[in-house]
Amino acid sequence: MPRARIEELLLRAVEEAGLSDGFVQVLELGDFAVTYKAAGLLAEVKSLLAARSRLRTAMLDTLHAGGVEIVSPSFRSVRNFEADRPFIPA
């Protein structure tokens, strides 16, 4: 999946979580995975824990809706599956 597409989806998730001035960083280029960080500004600090949960929920929902499957980097070595079958919840 192109990095630009992932960034687009993660920025959409930041907006859906109610954060402003969203940004995405590439934190790590692993052997089998890329680690991204999505964040934004929270106007009301009292709701920090709820905002973190909303952001993570929005990230999962947005990525899955965008056709991005999220699995462990070791997924292939543990379980056989068809290469064209995505593992995205219904």
Side-chain angles (χ1 to χ4, degrees):
M1 181 74 55
R3 179 213 44 85
R5 177 67 175 144
I6 299 297
E7 184 171 334
E8 172 190 333
L9 292 168
L10 290 175
L11 287 173
R12 186 179 309 154
V14 170
E15 288 179 19
E16 289 180 12
L19 303 174
S20 61
D21 297 327
F23 64 91
V24 175
Q25 295 175 318
V26 175
L27 297 180
E28 185 178 350
L29 298 175
D31 290 338
F32 303 102
V34 178
T35 303
Y36 294 92
K37 175 181 180 177
L41 295 178
L42 177 62
E44 182 56 55
V45 180
K46 290 180 184 178
S47 63
L48 179 61
L49 296 177
R52 283 183 179 156
S53 180
R54 279 194 317 270
L55 176 57
R56 290 177 181 143
T57 299
M59 289 167 67
L60 286 172
D61 293 346
T62 303
L63 289 169
H64 286 158
V68 178
E69 61 184 3
I70 303 169
V71 294
S72 167
S74 60
F75 188 71
R76 284 184 178 238
S77 64
V78 176
R79 180 175 169 191
N80 294 325
F81 62 92
E82 297 174 24
D84 62 342
R85 179 179 172 211
F87 287 88
I88 299 172

